[in-house]
Amino acid sequence: MCTKLFCTIVLIILVHNIFASIYYIDASTGNDANTGLTQKNAWKTFDKANNFPFMAGDRILLKGGITFVGSLKLKSLRGKRVFPVIISSYGSGRAIISSGDSAAINSISCEYLMVKNLICKGSGRLIGNKANGVDFRQSPNVVIDSVDVSGYLYSGVRITGGSNIRITNVYAHDNGFCGIYVTADHAGNDDSQKKAIRNVYIGHSVAENNPGCPAIKDNHSGNGILVSGVSNTLIEYCEAMNNGWDMPRVGNGPVGIWTYQSDRVIIQHCYSHHNKTSKNGLDGGGFDFDGGVTNSIMQYNLSENNEGAGYGMFQYAGADIWNNNIVRYNISFNDGQKNGQCGIFMWCDPAAVAMKNLHAYNNTIVNKNGYGVNFLPGNYTGFIFENNIYLITDSAKQFIGGNYTGATFNQNLYWSSFHANAKLPQPKISLDNNALVINPMLVLPESDLLGKLNPGIINSTPYFKLKADSPAKKAGKQIIDNGEKDYWGHIIPIPENPNMGAQGD
């Protein structure tokens, strides 16, 4: 026997389902004079849908396996939490939206929309496209799932404003500015607009070969996944690779996965590799907490063979305070091929608000290009580095590069196999009173490349673990509130001294 509340909910759903409708669009056999309410009476183009008053729970379904030319433009649609307006494919395969020089799907001031199982293709970032692929503006409570988007001048997926955003299983490739971009609307100088997007989730998505935007000559472009002006955001199980190589400028450049002007962002279980920048451009790194980031965490990530540093901690002039961030249980392998020459890189513009309070611990950095950690001159108050492994494999440089004040190194492991193989004394460590200078005995790949890894399994890699007799085992110091797990998901035993590096068991 059902309760009164349960029966009421069931009745609401049944009544709503009676009035909600499915609308079909078939570019091959449809007709815009049809009702659109059955597959045999499907509409033909987007013209009817672009001016139709859809209601909560309605579904707009495009016939799978065929191409629709044009753009789907939605304005002021109002779905509901349990009855979103859904745009998807029907039949066999995904529908293809070929939008030419425009956006494939444009949403303005809509709410509770779900877009899934579609392929969106623009004419190309160098051929004439002038838009983002899936472009949502001031549209909260939206879901974008299982969308392949390519060929757009700016971003494959761009969300501007709104909150409660969920992006999953997206493949964003061959776009200009960015693969996936979520940003607040920073119009004006009103502080209420800062970090205004709340509750963002980006997961199980890939941003590949987004080279750069020829229309942007005064700032970075060619990013993988970028969020700005957000709070309470989780990015996980994502991959960013081979982005940024055609940025049309000299100066600050792109990064694989990063955030700026944001609060409470977690980036975890992600793989960022082989990202690049222009010939004389900066950055091109794996991950980045940039200007104005606060109370955020990078953990359990893998960065490999990026032109820039694996993990950037940056602060530019005009940004809000950069404070209280954590970088833990990450791996950097041969990053900094061109810029930074290290695994973790610090930069604070002399004109910027000073950076404060970074805790970087239990990271494993293996680098053949230069340093384990590198600083551009600046004041880095409360920057603490503990329990990290810095293994330099092919360089005569030092473990810690650059000039800085305010940073503390306490109980890290340092080893230069370059010096060991050349039978040279290990570089002196004067900054770390509790330094452990000894071979960490890591399990390393046989070549400088890790090969293809899927984001969902990067934390099962056999590399960068400690061998059974490694001196790094139980050699670290206790860290309070350490996240409880290591890179491989093993529980860290709190009562004991932890391992050094990314392996905690």
Side-chain angles (χ1 to χ4, degrees):
M1 184 174 182
C2 65
T3 66
K4 183 177 180 181
L5 176 60
F6 178 76
C7 291
T8 301
I9 293 173
V10 171
L11 180 61
I12 291 172
I13 292 174
L14 290 174
V15 170
H16 189 278
N17 285 342
I18 292 173
F19 291 98
S21 301
I22 302 175
Y23 295 90
Y24 298 92
I25 308 179
D26 183 345
S28 57
T29 63
N31 189 316
D32 284 348
N34 291 338
T35 63
L37 292 172
T38 67
Q39 294 182 24
K40 291 185 178 180
N41 289 283
W43 296 330
K44 185 177 182 67
T45 71
F46 292 144
D47 291 345
K48 195 71 174 282
N50 287 343
N51 298 287
F52 195 85
F54 296 105
M55 64 175 286
D58 283 350
R59 283 182 280 174
I60 307 163
L61 302 183
L62 316 183
K63 187 171 182 180
I66 63 173
T67 298
F68 295 78
V69 177
S71 301
L72 189 57
K73 301 175 182 178
L74 308 173
K75 187 173 183 179
S76 301
L77 295 185
R78 292 290 183 267
K80 295 181 179 179
R81 185 173 62 84
V82 293
F83 303 115
V85 176
I86 298 174
I87 304 162
S88 187
S89 301
Y90 74 93
S92 179
R94 298 186 194 182
I96 302 166
I97 301 177
S98 179
S99 61
D101 296 344
S102 302
I105 301 174
N106 191 295
S107 166
I108 300 176
S109 300
C110 296
E111 187 172 11
Y112 290 110
L113 291 185
M114 178 182 293
V115 175
K116 62 180 183 177
N117 297 323
L118 295 170
I119 297 173
C120 302
K121 293 184 176 181
S123 56
R125 69 183 182 96
L126 301 179
I127 299 176
N129 187 271
K130 299 177 178 62
N132 304 289
V134 178
D135 193 348
F136 280 29
R137 297 173 185 267
Q138 305 302 328
S139 296
N141 305 302
V142 298
V143 174
I144 300 171
D145 177 63
S146 301
V147 174
D148 182 314
V149 55
S150 63
Y152 294 91
L153 176 65
Y154 292 101
S155 297
V157 173
R158 174 170 171 143
I159 308 292
T160 306
S163 289
N164 304 318
I165 310 298
R166 186 173 180 87
I167 300 171
T168 54
N169 302 299
V170 166
Y171 181 37
H173 58 103
D174 299 287
N175 303 292
F177 175 74
C178 194
I180 299 171
Y181 183 30
V182 178
T183 181
D185 185 0
H186 291 296
N189 297 312
D190 183 359
D191 285 344
S192 66
Q193 291 297 314
K194 297 177 179 179
K195 306 176 185 178
I197 296 183
R198 293 172 174 82
N199 305 326
V200 177
Y201 179 84
I202 304 174
H204 303 275
S205 296
V206 176
E208 179 179 11
N209 196 43
N210 301 285
C213 179
I216 299 177
K217 302 286 200 302
D218 60 350
N219 210 338
H220 60 83
S221 66
N223 302 286
I225 298 172
L226 170 59
V227 296
S228 68
V230 303
S231 61
N232 193 28
T233 294
L234 176 59
I235 303 172
E236 64 177 357
Y237 299 107
C238 291
E239 182 175 12
M241 56 182 164
N242 197 39
N243 301 292
W245 51 267
D246 197 28
M247 180 180 71
R249 66 183 296 270
V250 174
N252 63 306
V255 176
I257 301 175
W258 64 296
T259 183
Y260 68 92
Q261 288 290 92
S262 297
D263 181 59
R264 289 176 291 128
V265 176
I266 297 176
I267 303 174
Q268 64 181 13
H269 304 295
C270 291
Y271 183 28
S272 189
H273 59 103
H274 298 94
N275 293 294
K276 302 174 177 65
T277 186
S278 62
K279 182 178 179 180
N280 296 308
L282 301 176
D283 299 312
F287 299 87
D288 174 17
F289 280 165
D290 216 292
V293 172
T294 53
N295 307 307
S296 296
I297 301 174
M298 286 183 192
Q299 59 187 5
Y300 321 131
N301 300 296
L302 174 60
S303 181
E304 176 209 350
N305 281 292
N306 294 289
E307 286 192 347
Y311 303 90
M313 306 292 125
F314 303 146
Q315 174 76 328
Y316 58 87
D320 292 341
I321 188 171
W322 193 106
N323 186 27
N324 194 34
N325 298 308
I326 295 173
V327 177
R328 64 188 178 196
Y329 294 99
N330 302 287
I331 296 170
S332 169
F333 183 54
N334 291 337
D335 286 314
Q337 294 183 354
K338 185 166 78 170
N339 297 318
Q341 297 180 298
C342 64
I344 303 178
F345 187 35
M346 269 61 60
W347 169 72
C348 183
D349 190 303
V353 177
M355 303 171 77
K356 296 181 179 180
N357 302 327
L358 169 71
H359 198 183
Y361 62 89
N362 283 100
N363 301 287
T364 295
I365 297 173
V366 180
N367 196 285
K368 70 174 184 177
N369 301 304
Y371 311 99
V373 179
N374 198 7
F375 294 81
L376 286 181
N379 190 329
Y380 303 95
T381 303
F383 275 45
I384 300 173
F385 298 81
E386 300 177 302
N387 290 357
N388 302 292
I389 292 176
Y390 304 120
L391 174 61
I392 306 302
T393 60
D394 187 19
S395 172
K397 293 185 178 179
Q398 305 295 311
F399 299 112
I400 303 168
N403 299 312
Y404 64 94
T405 58
T408 300
F409 290 82
N410 182 32
Q411 206 159 325
N412 300 278
L413 186 149
Y414 308 85
W415 188 250
S416 170
S417 60
F418 173 88
H419 286 77
N421 293 335
K423 297 182 179 180
L424 297 171
Q426 289 290 310
K428 292 182 179 181
I429 304 297
S430 58
L431 301 171
D432 190 334
N433 293 329
N434 298 303
L436 182 62
V437 182
I438 194 169
N439 188 343
M441 300 182 67
L442 292 173
V443 178
L444 297 176
E446 294 181 0
S447 73
D448 290 336
L449 300 174
L450 294 178
K452 177 67 176 177
L453 295 172
N454 294 319
I457 63 171
I458 64 164
N459 300 107
S460 64
T461 177
Y463 304 124
F464 311 108
K465 288 187 174 183
L466 303 173
K467 294 180 181 179
D469 53 350
S470 169
K473 288 194 171 184
K474 312 299 184 190
K477 62 169 293 185
Q478 285 289 340
I479 305 291
I480 304 301
D481 296 328
N482 62 4
E484 300 181 351
K485 296 188 300 182
D486 70 0
Y487 175 88
W488 287 269
H490 303 138
I491 301 299
I492 301 168
I494 297 297
E496 305 174 5
N497 285 344
N499 294 341
M500 299 178 119
Q503 182 181 347
D505 69 326

